[in-house]
Amino acid sequence: MFSTIGSRPHSDRKRLQSNIYSKSYLQSSEDIRAISTAVVIDRLIPILDKLAETGQEFDIMETLYSATMDLVTAFQFGLSSSTDFLCDVAERRRWLELYQKRHIHRFAFFSQEFPTLTSFLAKLQIRLVPRWVDDANAQLEAWCLSHVDRCLATHSSGAQPPGFNPVVVNALYEGLIRQDPSLTPSQARLLVASELLDQVAAGHETSSLTMTQLILHLSAFPNLQGLLHREFSSLPHDPPPSPRELDAFPLLQVVLRETLRLTPPIPGPQPRITPPSGCFLTPPSGKQYFIPRDVRISASAYALHRNPDVFPMPTAWRPDRWLDNFISTPASSPGRSMNGPDKSTATSETETKDRYFWAFGSGGRMCLGSNLAMLQMKLLIAALYARYKTVVVEGQDTSVADGYMGYIGNGKLMIRLEKWEASGRSRPDSAISMGSGESGV
């Protein structure tokens, strides 16, 4: 679906999955509840407790990669067929090595932009993409297909206990067969595997990059960590908070949203093809520009998020800029989006900020998994700061790569954890204060 050009095929495929990725479905899902308990409470917290007790430095990005992979694949394949990267370190590092060969080295550029030329030259033994990249791709594809096959082998056995249902596999497979009865089971399984490989990639990496940036920012503001910890003080440690409970924390909303604004995980251009009739683009100046058919155009979250007319001091990390968006309306309002304010009560200023917020895109091509991404990020951040303070190890390269993906430094962030005082209460300042410097951090 991610690479589908035509709007109709794209919308048909998206429609098969839109329900299970909707906010209402996720909020009421017993599978999500069981998966959250299994991954966060049973796997992640014991690991973090040991790290906090010893004061050991560790790579939080790799830990977040593991947690998000376990959450995403459990929703797709069910817990019995999902990854256990938090506990299985060897398998985690083997898989991440394959994945990084595919993406970090940016060889995907040639296959994406010049697929015919890349294929033709390879037949002449001129390889724009090294063979080891193709081998890594083949192994990842085989890995995904084996997980789909495992789910489909028990597809006819009916509903499983909460957490063990392959929610996405079932929805896609059944939807494809219903949409096109001429599809054979073999064809349907390949379509499902192709779709889910994209979702695995997008679902774990973008959320992990965002949370790593959030931890980097929060570690520079101990008082803000204290405020966040106090916000979570009413939460039981087990079971994990529900999606509705997570939506009720305004400070969690604003620090996450500001991180997505300043350092979106995909800052690069999002391409679109103009329709057969062409289209008009109307910038803020009001002047219309006609773009003919079949022209590739693009917009980027990086550019939209740094408009100083909308976001004063755009290069500063200032969560307070979003307070009106999230405090003016109760988070439990029925019409409220997990990704923004209630449009029915938003002021002109909050509407403008919300319109320029483009971390997940917009319209028919908006990120399918945005609600799941927001949910898992809120869940993991709440689990972390309800229990620990974070301290970033000094002397690291924390610059953001200039590319399609917002990778950090050398691909890791070393931190230490400290447990909050036994009372569970901190004494931070009562207001969010970022200072007045342009850097914000």
Side-chain angles (χ1 to χ4, degrees):
M1 188 176 74
F2 186 79
S3 59
T4 302
I5 294 176
S7 59
R8 181 59 184 273
H10 180 274
S11 63
D12 286 346
R13 184 64 57 83
K14 188 173 185 178
R15 194 178 304 115
L16 300 179
Q17 310 164 71
S18 58
N19 176 59
I20 57 173
Y21 282 109
S22 68
K23 179 181 178 180
S24 59
Y25 183 93
L26 296 172
Q27 283 190 331
S28 61
S29 171
E30 289 298 322
D31 288 296
I32 286 291
R33 191 76 167 172
I35 289 166
S36 299
T37 299
V39 174
V40 178
I41 303 301
D42 298 343
R43 299 180 196 172
L44 177 64
I45 296 306
I47 292 170
L48 297 184
D49 274 344
K50 289 181 181 178
L51 290 168
E53 288 168 3
T54 61
Q56 179 181 341
E57 298 174 1
F58 70 102
D59 179 12
I60 187 62
M61 186 181 295
E62 183 175 345
T63 303
L64 292 172
Y65 275 151
S66 305
T68 52
M69 271 293 290
D70 289 357
L71 287 167
V72 168
T73 58
F75 186 58
Q76 293 174 327
F77 305 121
L79 283 167
S80 59
S81 299
S82 66
T83 61
D84 187 5
F85 284 179
L86 281 167
C87 300
D88 191 343
V89 177
E91 176 60 13
R92 171 213 311 172
R93 292 182 174 167
R94 184 194 75 84
W95 194 95
L96 288 176
E97 182 182 1
L98 292 173
Y99 184 80
Q100 288 166 357
K101 285 179 179 179
R102 183 188 191 207
H103 286 279
I104 300 295
H105 297 286
R106 300 183 181 181
F107 289 113
F109 169 83
F110 297 105
S111 300
Q112 175 181 307
E113 300 297 326
F114 305 106
T116 304
L117 177 63
T118 301
S119 178
F120 174 74
L121 291 177
K123 293 176 181 178
L124 301 178
Q125 303 304 310
I126 302 172
R127 302 190 65 87
L128 299 179
V129 178
R131 190 178 298 279
W132 51 265
V133 175
D134 289 341
D135 291 342
N137 278 329
Q139 290 184 60
L140 290 173
E141 290 166 2
W143 170 89
C144 188
L145 187 59
S146 70
H147 281 66
V148 170
D149 286 341
R150 195 181 310 169
C151 295
L152 294 179
T154 59
H155 179 70
S156 60
S157 60
Q160 304 295 316
F164 290 84
N165 292 295
V167 176
V168 183
V169 170
N170 285 349
L172 259 177
Y173 183 79
E174 293 167 8
L176 286 166
I177 297 294
R178 186 169 57 249
Q179 197 175 74
D180 184 359
S182 67
L183 279 177
T184 66
S186 179
Q187 291 170 325
R189 76 184 256 278
L190 289 175
L191 289 172
V192 170
S194 177
E195 193 68 48
L196 291 192
L197 185 57
D198 279 347
Q199 292 184 23
V200 166
H204 88 279
E205 188 173 34
T206 53
S207 296
S208 301
L209 289 172
T210 298
M211 288 186 286
T212 303
Q213 285 285 2
L214 177 55
I215 290 167
L216 178 62
H217 290 306
L218 282 173
S219 298
F221 295 99
N223 71 308
L224 197 52
Q225 289 191 54
L227 284 170
L228 199 57
H229 172 67
R230 189 165 69 184
E231 190 170 72
F232 300 144
S233 63
S234 63
L235 289 176
H237 280 190
D238 185 6
S242 70
R244 294 183 191 278
E245 289 173 318
L246 291 169
D247 271 358
F249 299 124
L251 185 54
L252 175 61
Q253 311 282 348
V254 300
V255 295
L256 182 52
R257 195 170 178 87
E258 177 65 356
T259 303
L260 285 164
R261 181 202 67 82
L262 181 61
T263 49
I266 303 180
Q270 301 294 308
R272 306 286 187 267
I273 301 294
T274 55
S277 58
C279 67
F280 286 93
L281 296 183
T282 308
S285 64
K287 182 177 180 180
Q288 285 192 330
Y289 296 88
F290 178 73
I291 311 296
R293 63 177 294 171
D294 298 330
V295 174
R296 187 166 74 170
I297 59 177
S298 64
S300 75
Y302 182 94
L304 288 167
H305 291 178
R306 296 187 180 228
N307 184 334
D309 294 330
V310 179
F311 304 109
M313 299 175 63
T315 60
W317 188 73
R318 298 187 62 91
D320 51 316
R321 74 173 84 240
W322 297 102
L323 287 174
D324 288 343
N325 293 61
F326 287 96
I327 294 181
S328 60
T329 313
S332 59
S333 293
R336 185 180 179 84
S337 166
M338 208 180 268
N339 307 320
D342 184 344
K343 302 293 193 302
S344 64
T345 60
T347 66
S348 175
E349 182 180 345
T350 60
E351 281 182 340
T352 300
K353 286 187 294 185
D354 193 47
R355 188 169 64 252
Y356 272 76
F357 181 76
W358 218 60
F360 298 108
S362 60
R365 299 272 177 165
M366 183 176 177
C367 173
L368 172 68
S370 60
N371 289 311
L372 181 62
M374 290 296 288
L375 172 55
Q376 68 179 2
M377 288 190 288
K378 291 175 187 177
L379 178 66
L380 292 170
I381 293 301
L384 179 65
Y385 285 102
R387 296 167 174 81
Y388 320 102
K389 307 171 190 176
T390 56
V391 179
V392 172
V393 177
E394 295 182 359
Q396 301 180 76
D397 178 9
T398 58
S399 61
V400 179
D402 182 13
Y404 179 73
M405 297 290 296
Y407 296 116
I408 299 176
N410 61 356
K412 63 175 60 178
L413 182 70
M414 302 300 294
I415 70 166
R416 294 190 306 275
L417 297 179
E418 299 176 0
K419 287 194 173 184
W420 293 100
E421 296 178 5
S423 64
R425 296 284 182 178
S426 55
R427 295 183 176 272
D429 296 335
S430 60
I432 299 177
S433 175
M434 297 287 95
S436 57
E438 175 66 11
S439 69
V441 295

